[in-house]
Amino acid sequence: MDGTSSILFVGDLVGGLGRRTLLALLPAIREQHAPSFVVVNGENAAGGLGITPKIADELFAAGVDVITLGNHAYHRREIFPYLQRTDRILRPANFLASQPGHGSCVVERDGVRLAVVNLQGNVFLRSGRVAFSEIDTILEQIGDGADHVLVDFHAEATSEKVALGWYLDGRVTAVVGTHTHVPTNDARVLPGGTAYITDVGMTGPRGGVIGVVKEQAIESLRTHMSVRFETSEDDPWLMAVLVRCAARPRRAEAIEPLLLPWR
Ligand SMILES: [Fe+2]
Ligand SMILES: [Fe+2]
């Protein structure tokens, strides 16, 4: 294993605009940063909610190594069998065992094995098991079967994400937060060597309210009446982080946010 591996992790793709933004910007990002692995959160990829087999296939064809999900994993029924049979698409590992899919996988490039784990928070989100104990079990299962480990922690509360970062510091390469769709300004390598950010942000319309047409979100909040939400098409950005892995297993050298407008 060399010390030059790096991971591009892309925050929640929102709708067709989010997908188009990723596909449009990925070649230039590859050219500039040459990431060894590309991991994308796709829980909002299908019209803002969930993901379909066709969209997942499209992302894999574009060179995405692993797709992670979150609380919208099951919005589209047609994805259930796909989640069962496809290794490289993950729903949170701490869902109930009876729920379709699985929560971790290992991918390999140039002799470097990257384990990706998807976890969901327990504060304000419904998850079958506690994320903190689940990750202990998974790391034990992975054993020495991976050189690096990336955890996508899909959670609402910043406190819960910060706590998991500390809990895993020195045990995994990176803990990256998703779900709020708003990037946080706290990317850093923790003292034990784990790259951490509370939220990567989203890839999609920055001109909306976390992906929704802003007028509709405001109307809903202002009137407390039922408002039909549509995905905004306004001001697409790609929000991601680039994690540079250390030569030492399961440690990071650097984490750098990438916040890029498209068009
Ligand atoms: Fe999301
Ligand atoms: Fe979410």
Side-chain angles (χ1 to χ4, degrees), residues 84-195:
Q84 291 286 39
R85 70 169 183 261
T86 312
D87 283 351
R88 294 184 294 135
I89 185 166
L90 309 176
R91 49 79 161 162
N94 56 327
F95 278 4
L96 298 174
S98 56
Q99 290 176 282
H102 51 272
S104 64
C105 68
V106 178
V107 288
E108 185 166 345
R109 167 110 349 118
D110 301 329
V112 178
R113 298 159 304 166
L114 172 70
V116 180
V117 184
N118 194 189
L119 286 176
Q120 183 166 297
N122 300 98
V123 180
F124 307 131
L125 286 174
R126 202 164 63 155
S127 310
R129 294 187 297 276
V130 174
F132 288 72
S133 41
E134 188 71 23
I135 188 65
D136 288 338
T137 307
I138 292 169
L139 291 177
E140 208 163 289
Q141 283 164 355
I142 293 171
D144 55 11
D147 303 299
H148 288 287
V149 180
L150 172 91
V151 176
D152 170 0
F153 192 29
H154 196 79
E156 181 81 48
T158 50
S159 55
E160 191 181 17
K161 297 197 228 187
V162 170
L164 191 82
W166 285 125
Y167 187 62
L168 293 178
D169 185 24
R171 299 164 67 196
V172 303
T173 312
V175 176
V176 295
T178 57
H179 176 68
T180 71
H181 293 194
V182 177
T184 54
N185 194 16
D186 63 342
R188 63 167 165 152
V189 177
L190 298 172
T194 295

Side-chain angles (χ1 to χ4, degrees), residues 12 43 70-72 154 179 181:
D12 305 26
E43 72 143 6
N71 54 308
H72 296 304
H154 196 79
H179 176 68
H181 293 194

